[in-house]
Amino acid sequence: PLKKKRNQMKRFLQYSGKQNVQKLVTHTQKKVVKATTKTQTQLTTPIKGHFGVLDSVSLMNYETTNRVQDQDQTNKSPPGAPDINKEDLPFKADVIKEGHMEAPDAEGANEDMVEEDDWDFDDVENEFGVNEDNEDIIKETEEVAGQSEALEFQAETKQLLSIVATALYTDKDVFIRELISNASDALEKARQAQLQSDKHVIQPDLPLEIRISVDEKNHVFTIQDTGIGMTRDELVNNIGMIARSGSKAFIQQLKEAGSSDTSNIIGQFGVGFYSSFMVSDSVKLYSRSALEEEDDQGHCWVSGGGSSFNISEATGVQRGTKIMVQLKEEEKEYAMKDTVERIIKKYSNFVQYPIFLNGSRVSTLDAIWLRNKNDISEEQHKEFFQYMSRTGGEPLYRVQFHTDVPLSIYSLFYIPKETVDTNTGATPDPDINVYSKKVLIKAKHREILPSWLRFMKGAVDSEDLPLNISREHLQNSPLIRRINGILTRKVLSFLASELKSNYDKYVTFFNRYHVYLKEGILNDYLYKDELSSLLLFHTSQAKEEPITLDKYVSRMKPDQKDIYYLMAPSYELALASPYYEQFKARDLEVIFIKHPRDEACIQTIMSYEGKTIKAAESVSDLPPLDSEDDVRTLTKLESNDLGEFISQHVENALEVETTTQLKGTPAVIKNPENSIERFFRRQQNQDEPLAIQPQTLLIDPRHPLIVSLFDLKSSNPNTAKIAANQLFDNALVAAGLVDDARYMLPRLQSMLHHLVVTQAKLEEEVSNQQEE
């Protein structure tokens, strides 16, 4: 029985197109009809099914065969078919049984009739490319006609071919990208030709598409397009002469004709085809020109990558080009479907024309960065963002722009809602893919944007990119820096606009990505001013809603000349800092920062809008604060005397000076070591706490504690020494110069003991006096 064969036949029809059905007809004719005169009589029946109305089919209809159930159904025709005349059949219709055919009797068996073994649908599968996995394998159905002509490559071409095949490309995967790019160019040329009234394109109904198949058993990689194809002369000139780009010449022709529609043509160097020799023992190419007036014959081009190639006429060649790559034994991975699909999705997922692999469409994403921003839906943005970021969710921002002058650049960037925790030291990799006319040139390119914008994801596409000849990466040139500058300023301009138009959303962005903006200020002086205007700060007058430097400058006091900042671990500690006292007393706004990188950043800015940025600890040029008239103040001589006492008995108290800029604090450290200096010192001494450096102590001669200490040094020198050391340590703590304060504990215990014991004695004396 032929039930198995019939099922194979049905499977073939399900996965085949109109062309293969027509091929099947020819195959069936050869198998059934056996070249008799009677077999040339044709019974025309329109087949309807998955494909609509197809070409005429001779002798039999596959639907009829599938539907026959018994002898009585033999004479029934499918709907719309003419009546069948049994006498016109090359076999007797009354012997068609369920699923197979057999002779009526041994004597009546005609030698032209089909034996069961003749109905080998495995042959059909092999010939037409339907395997057991229901995959469409492109087969070599063309036939060479006439004599094959052997031609020699030019001497310089031989040498360059060797370089292309062995040294030009660093990644063998790109040969698939190059062949797809060539196929896409051929399709674009065919489309352009169809739009020109003076050109007639053969087979105009053929879909513009790229079909790829891999034959793992025979180690063959095949790619076929329905594009412009090539004449014999074009094969010799464009394929036989290396580094001659037909696409480049085509672009020149379009420009000379006044057309600007060249953005879909990819090729420019003319070496991409030869990348296939990296992985192949031989390459066979069939091509037929789509322009009937130029050539109505197909041709076959064959080369093993040596010194010559063969070219000959061929029959059965479809419009366009088919390339069959016979892979080397060690390169057989390129005959594996998963490998090829991965490469297609990496390099050619956005090619304009559909790509099919073994019958299934691969390229499913649209290069939306080339479209008008108003034509892109939210769902399309979400899909592309998830493709680029390889995560779920939606972006926080999207930045899309296009420029033609001075360079043609299309870009689409996304800023994710979430980022890597920068406090752990981990940073995201750059995730900007660079394309040239929708073909991936470099994934995660590190130079197309500055490193401090590495949190962005997206695509850049430009036909002006300075590619090296292998098109594997951009050449290092001033043009790359120019493109980098254009893209960077567009991004910064977008962020500035968002800051003004949607403050709350920008605050969300800034809280997550401020580290990168500050990194840009520290490492990229060129964009310091633009980045400075994007920073947000909490201030003494802005706890809940941070403000920009522009906002700070706009509300400075009329006589205020400088911008002030204060480093403290928290907002509350900043308000309690002795260094803030003089600003609070004068109602001057102070920027509060709490991380060493913030201080490094703000010191790098140095000035903004003509205003110098100063640390609060270093400000000493403000007018003195008023003091109460009835408060005792040490004279200059007394202050100097106390200063000498402190310097003599307090370690690391280098000098003692007086100040009138304090309001409630007896003493502070003058110009203390900032957090940046301490950070670098800590890096050098990671195993030990930082040693305290000699400091200058500022004392307020009006403060009651300072006045009492002056008196105590004469009446009780020992207690005065303890008090002076603690006074200095308190100033160190307020300046953030003490990493481990436990060394103070013995002194504090002694002071606590002295205080409690003294107080107890005083109370006892008072009690005794009362009793007396």
Side-chain angles (χ1 to χ4, degrees):
L2 299 176
K3 183 176 292 186
K4 177 184 176 182
K5 306 298 183 182
R6 186 188 67 186
N7 290 336
Q8 293 174 339
M9 174 71 170
K10 289 169 64 179
R11 186 168 69 249
F12 165 75
L13 288 170
Q14 290 174 347
Y15 287 90
S16 299
K18 179 176 178 180
Q19 273 191 311
N20 279 345
V21 172
Q22 183 59 52
K23 294 175 184 177
L24 177 65
V25 172
T26 305
H27 183 83
T28 306
Q29 287 175 329
K30 293 178 180 178
K31 288 287 185 180
V32 179
V33 180
K34 297 279 184 139
T36 64
T37 303
K38 195 170 185 178
T39 60
Q40 301 305 316
T41 304
Q42 300 215 337
L43 175 60
T44 302
T45 304
I47 294 182
K48 296 182 179 180
H50 296 287
F51 323 106
V53 179
L54 307 182
D55 292 346
S56 298
V57 175
S58 303
L59 302 178
M60 59 192 300
N61 179 278
Y62 84 97
E63 283 192 307
T64 305
T65 304
N66 289 337
R67 292 175 181 175
V68 171
Q69 299 297 325
D70 52 41
Q71 181 81 24
D72 294 336
Q73 290 179 300
T74 303
N75 295 326
K76 295 181 180 179
S77 300
D83 293 334
I84 300 175
N85 186 349
K86 294 182 182 180
E87 299 301 325
D88 291 334
L89 295 176
F91 52 84
K92 295 185 179 180
D94 58 351
V95 301
I96 298 179
K97 295 293 180 83
E98 166 122 318
H100 69 281
M101 295 180 292
E102 58 185 23
D105 51 62
E107 291 77 17
N110 190 313
E111 62 179 358
D112 291 330
M113 291 182 61
V114 179
E115 299 293 341
E116 180 174 321
D117 290 341
D118 289 332
W119 279 87
D120 190 351
F121 281 100
D122 287 327
D123 291 342
V124 175
E125 291 186 332
N126 291 334
E127 181 170 350
F128 299 113
V130 181
N131 59 21
E132 290 296 332
D133 296 325
N134 293 339
E135 294 184 338
D136 186 5
I137 305 297
I138 302 174
K139 295 295 182 177
E140 185 177 5
T141 57
E142 302 85 353
E143 294 182 1
V144 173
Q147 294 295 321
S148 176
E149 182 180 1
L151 300 174
E152 288 286 326
F153 285 116
Q154 296 177 357
E156 62 273 16
T157 302
K158 296 177 187 177
Q159 184 178 5
L160 189 54
L161 176 58
S162 176
I163 294 174
V164 170
T166 61
L168 180 60
Y169 296 90
T170 59
D171 185 357
K172 293 181 180 180
D173 290 359
V174 300
F175 91 90
I176 295 177
R177 180 200 69 181
E178 294 297 303
L179 295 183
I180 291 176
S181 297
N182 290 347
S184 177
D185 284 353
L187 293 169
E188 178 62 18
K189 293 173 187 177
R191 186 186 72 84
Q192 294 270 4
Q194 288 175 331
L195 297 176
Q196 299 178 27
S197 58
D198 60 336
K199 292 186 178 180
H200 174 68
V201 175
I202 64 172
Q203 300 173 325
D205 295 333
L206 277 179
L208 297 176
E209 62 189 17
I210 301 169
R211 291 195 170 269
I212 298 173
S213 77
V214 289
D215 185 345
E216 188 171 353
K217 179 180 179 181
N218 297 307
H219 301 172
V220 177
F221 173 92
T222 304
I223 179 170
Q224 184 171 19
D225 66 70
T226 55
I228 198 67
M230 286 176 281
T231 65
R232 183 188 184 283
D233 290 342
E234 288 171 336
L235 279 170
V236 173
N237 292 331
N238 295 342
I239 304 297
M241 295 176 62
I242 196 168
R244 180 186 176 100
S245 175
S247 293
K248 190 172 184 178
F250 180 72
I251 291 176
Q252 185 62 34
Q253 292 173 12
L254 287 179
K255 290 181 177 179
E256 290 174 357
S259 174
S260 60
D261 190 10
T262 63
S263 60
N264 292 318
I265 299 296
I266 300 167
Q268 53 182 306
F269 295 115
V271 297
F273 167 76
Y274 293 93
S275 62
S276 59
F277 286 104
M278 290 190 299
V279 297
S280 67
D281 286 325
S282 65
V283 176
K284 182 180 290 187
L285 180 151
Y286 289 101
S287 190
R288 184 182 179 188
S289 175
L291 304 178
E292 201 170 40
E293 65 270 25
E294 292 188 16
D295 187 15
D296 58 358
Q297 294 293 326
H299 291 86
C300 177
W301 185 99
V302 183
S303 178
S307 61
S308 64
F309 61 92
N310 288 70
I311 191 167
S312 58
E313 291 187 356
T315 60
V317 181
Q318 178 183 270
R319 185 192 85 191
T321 300
K322 176 195 287 187
I323 301 173
M324 306 184 73
V325 180
Q326 183 63 54
L327 298 167
K328 299 176 182 177
E329 177 65 26
E330 63 271 21
E331 308 294 351
K332 60 184 180 182
E333 64 173 315
Y334 295 111
M336 299 173 65
K337 181 180 178 182
D338 290 344
T339 299
V340 174
E341 184 173 5
R342 172 185 60 80
I343 295 170
I344 293 173
K345 287 185 175 181
K346 177 180 179 180
Y347 288 105
S348 306
N349 214 24
F350 301 99
V351 168
Q352 179 181 7
Y353 298 98
I355 301 174
F356 294 86
L357 176 60
N358 286 16
S360 300
R361 181 163 180 171
V362 177
S363 54
T364 58
L365 293 179
D366 184 17
I368 62 175
W369 63 82
L370 297 177
R371 294 167 53 183
N372 187 296
K373 63 176 66 177
N374 298 324
D375 297 334
I376 307 174
S377 67
E378 292 295 330
E379 188 61 30
Q380 288 172 321
H381 274 298
K382 181 178 178 181
E383 181 184 15
F384 184 60
F385 168 74
Q386 292 176 354
Y387 168 80
M388 291 299 303
S389 63
R390 295 166 295 282
T391 62
E394 300 177 2
L396 176 64
Y397 282 132
R398 57 176 181 260
V399 188
Q400 183 178 6
F401 62 87
H402 165 228
T403 178
D404 284 320
V405 178
L407 301 170
S408 174
I409 302 174
Y410 292 85
S411 66
L412 176 56
F413 300 140
Y414 296 101
I415 299 177
K417 285 185 177 180
E418 304 296 336
T419 186
V420 178
D421 184 6
T422 54
N423 292 324
T424 65
T427 57
D429 293 326
D431 213 351
I432 301 297
N433 289 350
V434 177
Y435 297 83
S436 181
K437 300 180 180 179
K438 295 182 284 190
V439 176
L440 180 67
I441 301 302
K442 182 71 173 179
K444 296 186 176 182
H445 202 286
R446 293 180 179 273
E447 285 79 39
I448 205 68
L449 281 178
S451 62
W452 46 270
L453 284 178
R454 61 186 176 275
F455 58 86
M456 304 191 72
K457 303 180 184 296
V460 175
D461 196 319
S462 176
E463 61 187 61
D464 295 324
L465 292 174
L467 308 180
N468 72 332
I469 193 170
S470 69
R471 300 199 306 155
E472 288 184 281
H473 56 267
L474 304 180
Q475 298 185 65
N476 186 16
S477 73
L479 186 56
I480 293 299
R481 293 191 291 273
R482 191 175 183 184
I483 294 173
N484 180 301
I486 293 173
L487 296 174
T488 302
R489 285 195 163 85
K490 287 289 186 180
V491 172
L492 295 178
S493 175
F494 169 84
L495 293 175
S497 175
E498 287 296 311
L499 172 59
K500 293 179 181 179
S501 62
N502 194 335
Y503 170 82
D504 291 337
K505 187 176 181 180
Y506 182 83
V507 170
T508 300
F509 158 78
F510 184 80
N511 289 339
R512 292 172 184 170
Y513 295 100
H514 65 94
V515 172
Y516 301 101
L517 301 184
K518 293 169 184 175
E519 178 186 329
I521 291 176
L522 292 172
N523 298 331
D524 203 338
Y525 188 83
L526 184 63
Y527 302 104
K528 184 190 71 171
D529 293 341
E530 292 95 325
L531 287 168
S532 299
S533 66
L534 297 175
L535 298 182
L536 296 178
F537 299 98
H538 291 283
T539 73
S540 55
Q541 299 177 16
K543 179 180 180 180
E544 301 300 330
E545 295 186 354
I547 64 171
T548 63
L549 288 175
D550 286 312
K551 187 72 172 179
Y552 180 98
V553 171
S554 69
R555 56 194 200 189
M556 288 173 59
K557 299 289 185 182
D559 57 346
Q560 183 179 344
K561 299 179 180 179
D562 303 314
I563 298 172
Y564 306 116
Y565 77 90
L566 176 62
M567 172 84 177
S570 69
Y571 189 87
E572 290 71 22
L573 289 176
L575 288 176
S577 172
Y579 296 103
Y580 173 60
E581 290 176 357
Q582 64 170 325
F583 303 100
K584 181 180 179 181
R586 297 181 175 88
D587 194 28
L588 295 176
E589 189 170 17
V590 178
I591 293 172
F592 291 160
I593 58 177
K594 61 181 182 179
H595 196 280
R597 66 168 168 262
D598 297 335
E599 187 165 22
C601 175
I602 207 165
Q603 287 188 358
T604 301
I605 297 173
M606 293 187 292
S607 65
Y608 191 82
E609 295 295 328
K611 308 292 184 180
T612 302
I613 301 177
K614 292 184 177 181
E617 300 93 329
S618 65
V619 176
S620 59
D621 56 353
L622 295 177
L625 294 174
D626 296 333
S627 61
E628 299 179 13
D629 295 335
D630 57 348
V631 175
R632 178 187 169 189
T633 301
L634 295 181
T635 65
K636 184 176 182 180
L637 183 61
E638 291 172 331
S639 298
N640 291 339
D641 189 23
L642 178 60
E644 290 179 2
F645 177 83
I646 294 174
S647 296
Q648 183 179 359
H649 296 288
V650 175
E651 186 179 5
N652 292 321
L654 184 64
E655 295 182 18
V656 178
E657 299 177 2
T658 59
T659 179
T660 58
Q661 303 297 336
L662 298 176
K663 193 75 172 179
T665 299
V668 295
I669 301 297
K670 179 181 180 181
N671 293 331
E673 182 182 41
N674 61 40
S675 61
I676 305 169
E677 296 169 338
R678 292 184 61 77
F679 173 80
F680 285 113
R681 280 213 299 134
R682 191 173 287 111
Q683 292 295 107
Q684 298 174 356
N685 302 276
Q686 295 183 1
D687 298 333
E688 300 178 4
L690 292 181
I692 296 175
Q693 304 293 317
Q695 306 289 337
T696 297
L697 184 68
L698 296 176
I699 60 174
D700 184 358
R702 302 165 301 179
H703 196 281
L705 181 59
I706 297 300
V707 174
S708 299
L709 182 60
F710 172 77
D711 295 335
L712 187 63
K713 74 179 182 62
S714 300
S715 61
N716 193 340
N718 290 332
T719 301
K721 292 178 185 178
I722 296 175
N725 276 276
Q726 192 59 52
L727 180 72
F728 182 75
D729 284 347
N730 289 352
L732 291 175
V733 172
L737 301 180
V738 177
D739 289 339
D740 189 349
R742 287 177 292 183
Y743 75 91
M744 301 181 193
L745 290 178
R747 187 191 313 121
L748 290 173
Q749 293 282 15
S750 175
M751 293 179 64
L752 184 63
H753 174 79
H754 180 75
L755 176 64
V756 172
V757 171
T758 302
Q759 183 65 28
K761 288 182 178 180
L762 288 174
E763 291 180 358
E764 184 179 358
E765 292 178 359
V766 171
S767 177
N768 291 335
Q769 291 176 358
Q770 290 177 347
E771 289 178 0
E772 293 177 356

